[in-house]
Amino acid sequence: MASTQAGAGIGIANLPNQRHAIASKKGSALTMMIAGKQATPRPLIGESGLGKTTFINTLFTTTIKAPKNHKRRYNKTTEKTVEIEIIRAELEEKQFSVKLSVIDTPGFGDYTNNRDSWMPIIDFIDDQHESYMRQDQQPKRQELSDMRVHCCLYFIRPTGHTLKPLDIEVMKRLGTRVNLIPVIAKADTMTPTDLHKFKKRILEVIAAQNIQCYTFSLESDDEASTKRNMSIMDAMPFSIIGSTDDVQTSDGRTVKGRQYSWGVAEVENEDHCDFKKLRQLLIRTHMLDLIHSTEETHYENYRRAQMETRKIGEPKVKTVTNPKWKEEEEALRKRFTEQVRLEENRFRSWEQQLIAERDRLNKDLEAEHSHIKALEAELESMQVGLSPKRK
Amino acid sequence: MAHRIGRRKNVKKGFQFTLMVVGASGLGRTTFINTLCDADVVPKRECDEPEMAHVEEAIKIKPYTVELDEDGVKISLTVVDTPGFGDMIDNEYCFQEILGYLERQYDDILSEESRIKRNPRFRDNRVHALLYFITPTGHSLREIDIELMKRLSPRINVIPVVGKADTFTPQELADFKKRVMEDIEHHNIPIYNFPYDPEEDDEETIDENSELRSLLPFALIGCEEEIMVNGRKVRGRQYPWGIVEVDNTQHCDFAKLRFALLSSHLQDLKEITHDYLYENYRTEKLSRSAENLSD
């Protein structure tokens, strides 16, 4: 086979450039080149107060989501729902636009009873796969809206001990459906030695409990990439500090960080936290891999599982296990039984009334009857009295 | 004046004080107890096998007794730790366990009081104060926090504290404290807020109490190790960006809380427990049994 000489080739080597040109024109979902594909939804999951919102704003160096409005917290009636919020944004960098969808799950794990509080989240992820699958099965499938979840960041509370049963439950279910990246939130609570021990323990638990986390192949073409990949993998789970404020360090630099009375914790300092590594992973280096693995692995798993039991085009049999719906169902049922009972009572009292009426009328009738009888008897006696006179 | 005379008599005998510490795991409860007593009272939690990590642990109630010496005053401090609180997926059981424990202590006293011949050396195990560790989310109180404080405050003095307060910058801490106190007021949770009488008490007492009240919930940082700072040995945590000192009142409220619990307000907490909370419980219990008898 004739090999093409460098410089005299037919132009195959130009393909990456072409792809680049196409990708640049079409823009992308979430900052990376993926010719033509749509938004990369990525949910942030974890208990409230772990810095999820701050993290997202830090990652994209812009306020994507406004911080929680605390004045309104008394207006909300305690609904036991984990409401899923989808925030869409479009970012642009060097004439490259990106459609970003961030899915936030507030209120997770805050309640006394948190059983099944993860159901809305799991259902949401499955729903996206489902929706894509249905659209794929339609005759016309040019305009696909792809909201499949590409990556899920699970925020772990920095207890310093180990993963909680609630965490394990949720992560197990997430790991089989989506690329799961565990993240240690508010890492500036822990000293470096504590953090190291904590990470080790979490990794042990993840291995022992068979939780599937996102992994990628470390091999790469050049040395530098391989080394970088290895350092990223080593840092899992990533410890992060989030901050959108600019503060002054003791040596005069202005950085994004948190200012304590005893020092400044910097977001972008690799000795302080793994934020930079995580950002590299999510945006600079592995976004393509995240999107592809979602399509090739997770979506295919879902599709295969569904296809084994369903025919093409059949809608999904939905088991309503959402606690909110169950509550509504209960409330409706109660209302209906109440109404039925009221109506029955009404009918019963009406019946009583009618019976009473009838009895009364019967009595009157009887009275009249006896009256008539009396009159007849009188008439008879009078007639009898008359006739002998005539004789 | 009478207060001081009583204290002198007790100084020789020493005081007895029981403190319960409640909070989710990982909030620095165990470390706080050890820091408070300046000794390894509670053993560090042994993390179980990773294979067992998914098993939900029920709450356990563990009392530890320690002899302390505060400026020449002997204090026999009993700390009741509650590991496993809030660790289960459904935590309803935890509340009942703690409430049951508190009420059992009251029951013991009640039955002892009703005896014809009382035991002079009877040990009073009633809990005088409860430190509730609020999770430093940065937002406000969670449902489980509100539920617990509401249910336990009729039986015990509840003092809310914020664990691992080095999560917060000074501004965040002030905001969080404000929001927590607003929540407490909004839900009408009767916590122990260093009560004082503006007419009866003297200036000093009023100032002291209002200062402590303004610090609620107390921001705590716990640390058992000592490190070197500028040549002195301090208890603190070393971060890459600085050192947090436990005993530094600029960094956290630990020192103030310790003083309030073990010196200035120890007597007050005990009195409220005996004169008010225990009396209420006794009334409720006896009227309930009277009702049952009359039925």
Side-chain angles (χ1 to χ4, degrees):
Chain A
M1 191 157 80
S3 59
T4 49
Q5 295 287 334
I10 52 173
I12 297 176
N14 202 34
L15 237 85
N17 292 346
Q18 288 185 21
R19 204 171 162 78
H20 182 263
I22 296 173
S24 306
K25 257 192 280 179
K26 280 198 183 162
S28 167
L30 199 52
T31 317
M32 218 31 164
M33 0 194 149
I34 286 297
K37 293 278 166 59
Q38 281 296 315
T40 306
R42 64 167 50 147
L44 303 180
I45 294 182
E47 295 172 36
S48 65
L50 283 180
K52 300 192 294 292
T53 312
T54 314
F55 170 73
I56 257 298
N57 292 339
T58 315
L59 188 66
F60 297 104
T61 58
T62 174
T63 307
I64 302 241
K65 183 175 177 205
K68 191 160 170 171
N69 183 352
H70 292 108
K71 294 202 190 64
R72 291 185 15 233
R73 67 188 186 273
Y74 297 136
N75 299 339
K76 203 165 63 140
T77 51
T78 39
E79 289 171 16
K80 285 189 165 278
T81 49
V82 179
E83 276 161 32
I84 295 185
E85 283 173 52
I86 305 178
I87 304 139
R88 281 181 229 274
E90 193 159 328
L91 308 170
E92 204 176 298
E93 190 183 273
K94 287 200 194 140
Q95 291 184 332
F96 204 73
S97 75
V98 161
K99 285 196 186 64
L100 156 74
S101 298
V102 176
I103 299 159
D104 202 352
T105 57
F108 176 93
D110 271 351
Y111 303 106
T112 311
N113 183 357
N114 296 308
R115 198 161 294 287
D116 289 342
S117 53
W118 55 77
M119 283 314 290
I121 301 169
I122 304 294
D123 282 345
F124 179 82
I125 298 178
D126 281 345
D127 281 347
Q128 305 316 310
H129 284 308
E130 173 70 19
S131 145
Y132 187 81
M133 196 171 93
R134 302 291 313 285
Q135 289 179 64
D136 206 30
Q137 290 165 359
Q138 301 296 328
K140 226 175 160 204
R141 51 180 192 175
Q142 254 68 6
E143 295 288 320
L144 285 178
S145 105
D146 183 4
M147 273 292 288
R148 286 176 298 182
V149 177
H150 294 156
C151 152
C152 174
L153 299 174
Y154 189 80
F155 281 58
I156 300 171
R157 193 169 276 291
T159 58
H161 295 318
T162 177
L163 286 181
K164 291 192 175 173
L166 182 62
D167 293 330
I168 296 175
E169 274 298 309
V170 182
M171 285 173 82
K172 265 190 186 164
R173 286 156 209 265
L174 287 174
T176 52
R177 292 173 160 83
V178 71
N179 292 323
L180 178 67
I181 299 181
V183 156
I184 299 176
K186 295 198 172 178
D188 47 349
T189 328
M190 303 176 72
T191 57
T193 26
D194 290 340
L195 191 59
H196 185 73
K197 275 193 270 185
F198 188 48
K199 280 191 180 185
K200 208 163 79 106
R201 246 179 260 138
I202 291 183
L203 290 173
E204 282 172 9
V205 173
I206 288 179
Q209 297 283 333
N210 282 325
I211 298 174
Q212 288 177 324
C213 288
Y214 175 64
T215 50
F216 48 86
S217 72
L218 298 170
E219 294 304 313
S220 178
D221 295 329
D222 53 289
E223 267 281 345
S225 301
T226 317
K227 251 179 55 188
R228 197 184 50 216
N229 287 346
M230 287 189 68
S231 82
I232 291 182
M233 272 307 273
D234 277 340
M236 285 246 270
F238 300 100
S239 64
I240 52 175
I241 304 172
S243 173
T244 44
D245 303 319
D246 288 317
V247 293
Q248 280 267 331
T249 56
S250 48
D251 45 1
R253 295 172 291 133
T254 308
V255 290
K256 285 247 182 303
R258 293 168 58 74
Q259 180 140 54
Y260 295 103
S261 341
W262 48 86
V264 171
E266 300 168 43
V267 170
E268 307 230 1
N269 187 329
E270 300 232 23
D271 291 327
H272 293 184
C273 72
D274 301 325
F275 176 79
K276 255 185 148 173
K277 293 207 178 86
L278 179 62
R279 186 176 59 191
Q280 259 195 342
L281 176 82
L282 286 180
I283 301 182
R284 284 203 193 122
T285 49
H286 285 87
M287 190 190 296
L288 190 62
D289 189 51
L290 284 169
I291 297 180
H292 272 172
S293 60
T294 307
E295 291 170 6
E296 284 157 23
T297 318
H298 296 289
Y299 171 66
E300 287 302 311
N301 284 344
Y302 179 80
R303 192 167 172 277
R304 194 181 320 127
Q306 295 298 315
M307 289 285 181
E308 280 168 7
T309 52
R310 281 158 51 186
K311 298 195 291 237
I312 286 194
E314 217 177 80
K316 181 173 179 181
V317 170
K318 228 183 172 98
T319 44
V320 177
T321 47
N322 191 333
K324 176 178 177 190
W325 293 349
K326 222 192 287 188
E327 265 179 50
E328 273 187 29
E329 209 183 298
E330 276 303 312
L332 276 175
R333 191 175 300 142
K334 255 200 216 125
R335 244 195 26 236
F336 284 140
T337 35
E338 190 62 36
Q339 280 188 343
V340 167
R341 205 166 54 82
L342 283 173
E343 286 300 305
E344 275 187 7
N345 282 347
R346 201 165 65 84
F347 279 125
R348 209 169 294 138
S349 59
W350 194 13
E351 197 184 330
Q352 302 282 25
Q353 272 183 359
L354 287 176
I355 290 176
E357 189 74 21
R358 186 192 62 183
D359 286 341
R360 195 174 59 82
L361 289 172
N362 274 350
K363 239 204 219 118
D364 283 350
L365 199 62
E366 282 251 7
E368 293 296 317
H369 222 76
S370 46
H371 191 63
I372 289 174
K373 271 229 171 72
L375 286 174
E376 273 183 3
E378 221 183 293
L379 192 64
E380 276 234 21
S381 62
M382 278 208 280
Q383 272 185 351
V384 165
L386 268 175
S387 34
K389 263 195 196 150
R390 257 196 260 130
K391 257 205 196 143
Chain B
M1 202 45 198
H3 197 74
R4 302 251 179 81
I5 293 177
R7 199 178 154 85
R8 221 184 294 140
K9 198 162 73 158
N10 279 333
V11 164
K12 279 211 208 126
K13 213 169 52 166
F15 292 96
Q16 194 274 327
F17 188 68
T18 311
L19 177 72
M20 185 183 250
V21 182
V22 176
S25 65
L27 287 182
R29 216 181 47 237
T30 315
T31 316
F32 167 74
I33 296 175
N34 292 341
T35 317
L36 184 72
C37 308
D38 216 356
D40 244 340
V41 175
V42 183
K44 273 279 190 219
R45 169 176 162 172
E46 280 307 313
C47 278
D48 334 287
E49 330 285 303
E51 292 91 32
M52 299 302 287
H54 66 288
V55 173
E56 301 176 51
E57 260 186 49
I59 187 176
K60 289 191 274 290
I61 301 192
K62 292 192 172 158
Y64 303 91
T65 308
V66 155
E67 300 292 323
L68 294 179
D69 195 312
E70 282 289 297
D71 289 334
V73 180
K74 282 205 278 287
I75 300 182
S76 170
L77 175 69
T78 307
V79 182
V80 184
D81 193 11
T82 53
F85 175 81
D87 278 347
M88 297 173 63
I89 298 185
D90 183 355
N91 293 306
E92 187 62 38
Y93 175 71
C94 300
F95 297 158
Q96 287 158 15
E97 272 296 294
I98 300 178
L99 204 56
Y101 179 81
L102 295 175
E103 290 184 349
R104 271 199 297 278
Q105 310 312 316
Y106 283 155
D107 284 337
D108 285 347
I109 300 280
L110 191 58
S111 55
E112 181 65 24
E113 269 185 0
S114 336
R115 266 199 234 258
I116 299 173
K117 201 152 186 266
R118 293 189 197 162
N119 181 357
R121 272 195 290 270
F122 182 77
R123 195 176 161 79
D124 182 358
N125 281 327
R126 286 177 296 188
V127 188
H128 302 122
L130 184 140
L131 291 183
Y132 182 67
F133 276 68
I134 301 174
T135 317
T137 57
H139 295 317
S140 54
L141 287 181
R142 305 178 300 161
E143 193 211 29
I144 189 175
D145 300 332
I146 297 172
E147 269 306 298
L148 179 113
M149 290 200 279
K150 260 193 173 156
R151 291 208 215 178
L152 293 187
S153 26
R155 296 282 174 254
I156 188 173
N157 294 311
V158 174
I159 302 177
V161 301
V162 180
K164 294 203 171 170
D166 47 351
T167 323
F168 291 129
T169 60
Q171 185 58 44
E172 286 170 356
L173 185 62
D175 288 340
F176 184 61
K177 282 189 178 185
K178 193 163 115 224
R179 276 195 290 270
V180 167
M181 292 315 285
E182 280 173 5
D183 274 349
I184 287 177
E185 211 179 288
H186 181 258
H187 291 273
N188 282 327
I189 304 173
I191 56 168
Y192 178 76
N193 58 355
F194 303 96
Y196 56 85
D197 196 334
E199 280 145 45
E200 293 235 346
D201 293 328
D202 54 86
E203 276 263 356
E204 214 186 295
T205 319
I206 296 180
D207 282 340
E208 198 187 353
N209 282 326
S210 22
E211 194 203 340
L212 287 171
R213 190 183 286 188
S214 69
L215 285 177
L216 278 171
F218 292 96
L220 297 182
I221 301 174
C223 180
E224 297 137 328
E225 289 117 32
E226 291 189 337
I227 44 183
M228 297 294 285
V229 176
N230 296 336
R232 351 166 245 134
K233 265 194 150 191
V234 287
R235 291 192 294 190
R237 291 167 63 76
Q238 180 143 47
Y239 291 108
W241 49 86
I243 298 180
V244 184
E245 295 172 41
V246 169
D247 297 303
N248 185 334
T249 46
Q250 297 281 334
H251 292 180
C252 73
D253 305 325
F254 174 78
K256 294 232 166 86
L257 178 66
R258 186 171 197 277
F259 186 73
L261 280 180
L262 297 179
S263 302
S264 53
H265 287 80
L266 187 143
Q267 210 46 39
D268 195 29
L269 288 165
K270 287 181 81 164
E271 275 166 21
I272 293 185
T273 309
H274 181 73
D275 295 335
Y276 181 63
L277 297 168
Y278 169 65
E279 282 304 313
N280 279 348
Y281 177 73
R282 188 171 172 280
T283 315
E284 280 176 30
K285 183 133 194 245
L286 291 178
S287 30
R288 243 185 296 146
S289 47
E291 269 175 35
N292 290 340
L293 282 176
S294 59
D295 282 342

